[in-house]
Amino acid sequence: STNVTERRAIAEQREQLLALERQQVEALSESQQLRDEFVALAGHEMRTPMAAILGYAELLMDDPDLTAAQRTFLAIIERRSRDLTELVDDFFDLARLNSGITTLDLVRLDLRSVVEEAVEAQRLQVQEKGLEIDTELAPAWVDGDAGRLRQVVDNLLSNAVKFTPTGGHLRVSVTPNGREVVVAVADDGIGISEEQLPYIFDHLFRAATAKQHGIPGTGLGLSITKALVLAHGGQIVAESRPGGGSRFVITLPLAGPGTGSGTGSGTAS
Ligand code: ADP
């Protein structure tokens, strides 16, 4: 009978531990929500003064009496405020995505066209860097937010361009596979180390390879990309080797036959 009492005590202790853990998880997700709401609000408050700084810097640039030095300083103010505005926008966007404020505007669309347009939009940068880009795009109908899916592909493609030295190769494919479609963006650029690969979707994370090569960025693009893919019911993974290139693979559910022919909406969390 001591055995039974002992077992009961252990079971009780386990219950208490589980309850404590549940409480902690709840407190944590509540504080995360508060943080996301705060960032969303702060982002909004920061946009207004940034727009004023940028606007007046641009106005001053038009003054014909500026000295060369003044012109240089103004150009710096303008460029840096543009960077900061972009950073604030990304922060704002990510916080809204994470707190579930953002909703998706779902329509039935062909992912192939989205990818084609994204590739087209990168043509100039691809040419300027002397990169080659192969595409293998099959039609693939999904229920998705056209602008947001375009943002996802833009992010992956612009990273591939950014992190691939002159003369490199990019490869983009859209491949339906059963009930899913696989979108892959591959490059033979600088790559990411095995230890750092698990962190590249984290907020603000930038791999050592990117820093060593002095390639600028905020480390927010992939967090936003991942949040958007998850909001679409999809998944994203990355494979990479330092110096051996990277490959980002997105899987999204294909639109089922007959379900929802027009617009709808989904929430992003
Ligand atoms: P950013 O590009 O602004 O630095 P991202 O969130 O888009 O931020 O990417 C995070 C980090 O992941 C990058 O800083 C870089 O270290 C790494 N990364 C992303 N895409 C690639 C790629 N195609 N090749 C090599 N590294 C990459």
Side-chain angles (χ1 to χ4, degrees):
S1 74
T2 42
N3 225 341
V4 173
T5 331
E6 228 170 69
R7 237 181 282 161
R8 201 171 289 154
I10 290 174
E12 250 168 47
Q13 230 170 19
R14 192 174 297 159
E15 271 305 308
Q16 278 168 4
L17 274 177
L18 280 175
L20 196 68
E21 203 173 280
R22 266 196 299 275
Q23 267 174 21
Q24 280 171 341
V25 169
E26 270 166 31
L28 191 66
S29 78
E30 204 173 297
S31 85
Q32 269 164 358
Q33 169 131 21
L34 278 177
R35 185 201 59 192
D36 289 336
E37 281 169 13
F38 169 76
V39 174
L41 192 75
H44 189 68
E45 291 300 313
M46 283 162 84
R47 266 200 126 272
T48 319
M50 288 311 307
I53 294 172
L54 195 57
Y56 283 113
E58 278 167 357
L59 264 181
L60 277 178
M61 283 285 238
D62 293 338
D63 185 344
D65 299 330
L66 290 178
T67 66
Q70 285 169 332
R71 211 167 275 287
T72 307
F73 298 157
L74 270 178
I76 295 172
I77 293 177
E78 195 186 343
R79 196 180 63 237
R80 302 302 281 167
S81 10
R82 248 182 243 288
D83 289 351
L84 192 54
T85 305
E86 208 173 292
L87 184 67
V88 167
D89 280 348
D90 281 354
F91 249 123
F92 190 34
D93 195 25
L94 190 60
R96 287 173 61 94
L97 279 168
N98 284 341
S99 61
I101 300 170
T102 302
T103 52
L104 297 178
D105 195 4
L106 299 180
V107 294
R108 184 146 302 182
L109 55 91
D110 187 358
L111 205 52
R112 175 170 69 171
S113 328
V114 174
V115 174
E116 266 169 1
E117 284 164 23
V119 169
E120 211 41 58
Q122 290 286 331
R123 280 277 173 225
L124 196 66
Q125 286 89 314
V126 166
Q127 261 170 16
E128 274 177 354
K129 249 186 136 173
L131 302 173
E132 242 171 68
I133 180 160
D134 292 329
T135 56
E136 199 173 324
L137 313 175
W141 292 87
V142 299
D143 291 321
D145 185 314
R148 293 308 214 155
L149 288 177
R150 173 66 194 275
Q151 191 183 351
V152 164
V153 183
D154 278 345
N155 275 347
L156 294 184
L157 262 179
S158 62
N159 274 351
V161 170
K162 192 162 79 164
F163 294 110
T164 304
T166 310
H169 283 77
L170 312 186
R171 204 180 159 70
V172 185
S173 60
V174 176
T175 320
N177 179 20
R179 294 172 169 210
E180 294 173 336
V181 51
V182 179
V183 181
V185 176
D187 63 63
D188 59 359
I190 65 172
I192 306 149
S193 72
E194 197 182 334
E195 307 85 74
Q196 297 202 320
L197 195 59
Y199 303 106
I200 55 166
F201 296 105
D202 293 352
H203 307 0
L204 299 174
F205 183 82
R206 309 201 61 237
T209 42
K211 294 183 202 159
Q212 280 152 14
H213 285 77
I215 300 170
T218 60
L220 286 173
L222 282 181
S223 319
I224 295 173
T225 302
K226 183 171 181 178
L228 287 173
V229 170
L230 294 181
H232 279 87
Q235 280 173 327
I236 181 165
V237 292
E239 301 154 10
S240 190
R241 219 155 33 86
S246 311
R247 183 164 178 264
F248 288 81
V249 182
I250 292 170
T251 315
L252 287 170
L254 282 170
T259 53
S261 56
T263 52
S265 77
T267 138
S269 74

